[in-house]
Amino acid sequence: MEQQYIKLVKRAANLAIVIACLLIVIKMFAWWKTGSISILAAVTDSVVDLLASITNILVLRFALLPADENHTFGHGKAESLAAIAQSAFIGGSAVFLVLQGIHKLTYPHFIEGSEIGIIVSLISRVFTAGLVWYQKRVVALTKSPAIAADSLHYQTDLLMNAAILVAMLLNLYGFVYADAIFAIGIALYIGLNALKMFWEAVQVLLDKALPQEEIDQIIELAAKHECIIGIHDLLTRQVGAVRFIQLHLELADNLTLLEAHDITDSLEQKILAIFPRSEIIIHQEPTSIVQQELKLGQVKDYVPSYR
């Protein structure tokens, strides 16, 4: 599982760099032929994509290192740092594009060679759509925050290319302000995505709990176990693609240590079947102790068995 994660994530990161380089060359040619501010926006975005993807793969080399004496929980949070760096790149490009769009609104002119811009936009959409499709597959399999962030700004490319197509078509029909208006609209959209990316990365660094639907799955597995009386003090977080899960089990007083161990191991395997890349810590408590703690209000989020 670990080797598959590393292989998929590295392949997605390398593919992003190749596609970004190809798109920069294609879009630079189109900008040279048309002078379109929307295409310049697309060139700028592709350059930012390339820088972000290079940063991504450099950080991933560190994030994928195994745990060591100084980083006993691994290096997974480096992926969130990569996402923060990408949000900074993308935010900077959004500001640049807004300024360029405002300038073009002040000094509007028709775009020469709109047909070239339309063809380039269509080609760019094909390459970008293929990359996003592959990145989404990798994210579905790995839950990598770095690849998810990389995929997010390539998805903005799809919208950008669509906007360029519309701007080029409107330019053919004499709407001189279309280029600038769409450039500003693209910039605002990119900026919002940068803020979203930054916020999600910060939440990971702050050890945000797993999504509620995943927590509910864990609770259901424990509460339906035939030998578990109840659970409480469930704590979760995610670092990179690794989930950290810890909880307390309420078990019968008369169980032997070996029996308690077998029950705990059974629950752990069931959780790992749903969330393979997880680190799980389970503490067993006799039911008599749990009931005393409940009366004293020392137990958090107690969930009794469904039995």
Side-chain angles (χ1 to χ4, degrees):
M1 180 64 69
E2 185 71 25
Q3 290 303 314
Q4 182 189 26
Y5 176 84
I6 293 173
K7 179 181 177 181
L8 289 171
V9 168
K10 284 186 175 180
R11 185 181 294 170
N14 287 326
L15 181 61
I17 291 175
V18 172
I19 295 297
C21 289
L22 180 62
L23 292 177
I24 288 172
V25 173
I26 294 172
K27 292 174 182 178
M28 282 292 289
F29 172 77
W31 178 54
W32 174 54
K33 287 292 186 180
T34 65
S36 165
I37 190 68
S38 290
I39 294 180
L40 175 61
V43 173
T44 304
D45 188 60
S46 291
V47 171
V48 172
D49 287 345
L50 177 60
L51 292 174
S53 294
I54 291 173
T55 302
N56 217 24
I57 199 165
L58 292 175
V59 175
L60 278 170
R61 289 181 181 275
F62 180 76
L64 295 174
L65 291 174
D68 54 38
E69 291 183 2
N70 294 322
H71 306 87
T72 53
F73 289 100
H75 304 79
K77 284 191 176 181
E79 291 201 44
S80 297
L81 294 176
I84 289 176
Q86 289 193 36
S87 69
F89 281 128
I90 296 169
S93 69
V95 173
F96 171 75
L97 295 180
V98 167
L99 294 176
Q100 290 294 317
I102 292 172
H103 175 75
K104 194 67 178 287
L105 281 176
T106 307
Y107 303 99
H109 61 81
F110 286 105
I111 303 168
E112 300 295 332
S114 292
E115 296 84 357
I116 295 176
I118 292 170
I119 293 171
V120 166
S121 296
L122 289 171
I123 294 172
S124 298
R125 280 184 66 82
V126 171
F127 281 112
T128 306
L131 174 61
V132 169
W133 173 81
Y134 182 73
Q135 286 176 324
K136 284 188 173 182
R137 282 192 61 194
V138 171
V139 171
L141 293 170
T142 65
K143 308 299 181 185
S144 167
I147 300 302
D150 212 27
S151 179
L152 182 61
H153 62 76
Y154 281 105
Q155 289 174 53
T156 67
D157 280 4
L158 290 175
L159 180 66
M160 177 177 292
N161 289 320
I164 290 172
L165 277 172
V166 175
M168 295 294 106
L169 290 171
L170 290 174
N171 181 76
L172 289 174
Y173 288 96
F175 188 40
V176 70
Y177 292 103
D179 193 30
I181 292 172
F182 277 96
I184 293 173
I186 291 166
L188 293 176
Y189 180 80
I190 291 173
L192 288 173
N193 276 284
L195 288 174
K196 179 182 177 183
M197 189 186 302
F198 175 82
W199 176 254
E200 290 177 352
V202 168
Q203 292 305 302
V204 172
L205 293 175
L206 293 175
D207 291 330
K208 181 183 178 182
L210 295 178
Q212 189 58 48
E213 58 268 21
E214 295 187 7
I215 293 175
D216 291 341
Q217 285 180 281
I218 297 168
I219 292 173
E220 186 174 6
L221 286 175
K224 284 186 175 181
H225 197 289
E226 58 183 9
C227 297
I228 296 173
I229 298 173
I231 65 169
H232 59 276
D233 292 1
L234 172 61
L235 302 176
T236 64
R237 65 189 176 104
Q238 185 164 348
V239 176
V242 180
R243 294 172 177 82
F244 289 85
I245 302 165
Q246 62 184 70
L247 68 151
H248 291 214
L249 295 185
E250 180 184 359
L251 302 175
D253 289 354
N254 61 346
L255 293 177
T256 65
L257 181 59
L258 181 60
E259 289 172 330
H261 169 271
D262 289 342
I263 294 168
T264 302
D265 190 60
S266 171
L267 176 60
E268 184 175 337
Q269 293 307 313
K270 288 181 179 181
I271 295 174
L272 286 172
I274 299 178
F275 308 116
R277 291 179 55 81
S278 298
E279 296 287 341
I280 303 170
I281 300 175
I282 300 177
H283 175 68
Q284 308 99 338
E285 289 189 284
T287 186
S288 58
I289 300 298
V290 174
Q291 295 306 314
Q292 291 176 22
E293 291 176 341
L294 279 170
K295 292 177 182 179
L296 297 172
Q298 296 175 345
V299 172
K300 294 185 297 182
D301 303 321
Y302 178 77
V303 180
S305 171
Y306 291 168
R307 294 179 294 108

